[in-house]
Amino acid sequence: MKLVILDRDGVINQDRDDYVKNSVEWVPIEHSLEAIANLTQSGWRVVVATNQSGLARGLFDMHALNAMHEKMHRLVGQAGGRIDAVVFCPHGPETGCECRKPLPGMVLEIAERFNLKLEGLPLIGDSLRDLEAIAAVGGLPILVRTGKGAKTHMSDALPEGTLVFDDLYDAAEHLIHNY
Ligand SMILES: [Mg+2]
Ligand SMILES: [Zn+2]
């Protein structure tokens, strides 16, 4: 099975310094919906793994998060794509949970649920912690330069073997044509 894990904020939708707190603030990045549709239509499964510490911080509640994800599913569907699952970490950094990236808890959960091998499993993200979460289990880290990605690209701590693309559209094209 071909499956790609996507970070959400800064990859699919525009990130905000004050957190994406409701469905109105959930605004897709140009061509990201089309990118997911192309993946779907090329036989890829798409799963989202996202840190949502805004829940722990009290910036929004589950009702608002569900509304954001309903909007995401609806817009992706209208574009001709499909997101098979959304996994999120609701905790803050001080909780010490195992799901918050850069820890690989969500990646492991997805791999178990979809019966995937971890080696080479691709994850597309815009932050160092996305890349670290997938590199920790031997997967393929892919950085996009949207969201925080341009800044992340300047880091000298990118995991070895990280691929870099301008945006989700270009990263998806690479996966579609090379795997
Ligand atoms: Mg992000
Ligand atoms: Zn967590």
Side-chain angles (χ1 to χ4, degrees), residues 94-107:
E94 69 294 334
T95 308
C97 70
E98 291 179 0
C99 39
R100 183 173 161 82
K101 295 175 280 186
L103 293 179
M106 291 191 285
V107 172

Side-chain angles (χ1 to χ4, degrees), residues 111-130:
E112 189 176 315
R113 196 194 297 186
F114 289 88
N115 197 22
L116 304 167
K117 85 176 185 316
L118 292 163
E119 188 190 346
L121 179 64
L123 184 149
I124 302 174
D126 69 316
S127 297
L128 197 53
R129 61 191 178 197
D130 299 312

Side-chain angles (χ1 to χ4, degrees), residues 35-158:
I36 295 170
N38 289 345
L39 285 164
T40 301
Q41 288 164 25
S42 303
W44 284 78
R45 294 214 185 191
V46 176
V47 176
V48 172
T50 177
N51 285 356
Q52 291 299 327
S53 68
L55 285 167
R57 298 175 206 269
L59 296 171
F60 52 85
D61 59 14
M62 272 309 303
H63 179 77
L65 188 67
N66 286 336
M68 291 179 225
H69 291 165
E70 277 167 26
K71 180 177 183 180
M72 177 170 72
H73 284 296
R74 178 166 45 83
L75 294 180
V76 166
Q78 285 170 359
R82 175 182 154 89
I83 290 173
D84 288 276
V86 178
V87 179
F88 63 91
C89 165
H91 308 112
E94 69 294 334
T95 308
C97 70
E98 291 179 0
C99 39
R100 183 173 161 82
K101 295 175 280 186
L103 293 179
M106 291 191 285
V107 172
L108 295 172
E109 181 186 336
I110 292 163
E112 189 176 315
R113 196 194 297 186
F114 289 88
N115 197 22
L116 304 167
K117 85 176 185 316
L118 292 163
E119 188 190 346
L121 179 64
L123 184 149
I124 302 174
D126 69 316
S127 297
L128 197 53
R129 61 191 178 197
D130 299 312
L131 309 174
E132 290 168 343
I134 193 70
V137 298
L140 174 63
I142 302 176
L143 173 65
V144 286
R145 291 168 48 81
T146 49
K148 299 183 175 75
K151 195 172 164 197
T152 302
H153 195 196
M154 315 256 279
S155 163
D156 51 17
L158 294 188

